Amino acid sequence: QVQLMEFGGGEVQSGRSLKLSCVATGFPIAIQEMAWYRRAPGQSRELVARITTSGQRNYKDAVRGRFTISRDDAKNIVYLQMDALKPEDSAIYYCNIVNRDYNWGPGTQVTVAS
């Protein structure tokens, strides 16, 4: 049973930090490229960051330099460290295997107040 569960969201002031966790069950993330996505109200889901099996990382331009994606294959967890948060970062954040559009988890809400 493949499942993804996101944790760590919350409400913070602009400029503060949050660290999100994505706990995967039913498959080993060690053999998968993983990614974080987000969906703001009235917007489409967008790719935020991705990380290959060897630790190579890519970011959406709007978050580059502020967000860091990482992975712990032994724990089967993917992380997203978010620093210098801005109101426009407010969204529901999801994780998933890259190039897959199913098995989405419930996401975790991030709200950044100005």
Side-chain angles (χ1 to χ4, degrees):
Q1 187 82 297
V2 174
Q3 290 187 343
L4 296 162
M5 189 70 68
E6 300 89 353
F7 302 93
E11 184 173 347
V12 298
Q13 295 293 312
S14 180
R16 302 304 186 192
S17 298
L18 284 172
K19 187 172 184 178
L20 308 183
S21 300
C22 170
V23 180
T25 57
F27 73 97
I29 68 165
I31 62 172
Q32 303 287 356
E33 183 174 355
M34 301 295 295
W36 282 95
Y37 303 81
R38 68 187 182 189
R39 177 176 283 169
Q43 304 294 318
S44 300
R45 182 161 48 214
E46 62 180 3
L47 180 68
V48 176
R50 57 187 178 190
I51 183 167
T52 69
T53 56
S54 62
Q56 189 77 7
R57 300 173 294 195
N58 291 100
Y59 299 95
K60 175 180 173 65
D61 288 346
V63 310
R64 188 176 298 109
R66 299 187 297 118
F67 290 12
T68 303
I69 186 171
S70 61
R71 60 193 299 149
D72 186 332
D73 291 348
K75 294 182 178 180
N76 232 42
I77 298 176
V78 184
Y79 302 98
L80 185 67
Q81 175 68 45
M82 304 183 295
D83 298 319
L85 282 162
K86 304 175 180 180
E88 52 262 46
D89 295 320
S90 297
I92 302 175
Y93 283 72
Y94 306 85
C95 66
N96 211 336
I97 299 169
V98 170
N99 293 327
R100 293 194 183 186
D101 193 22
Y102 55 92
N103 289 135
W104 294 101
T108 186
Q109 176 72 54
V110 172
T111 302
V112 185
S114 61

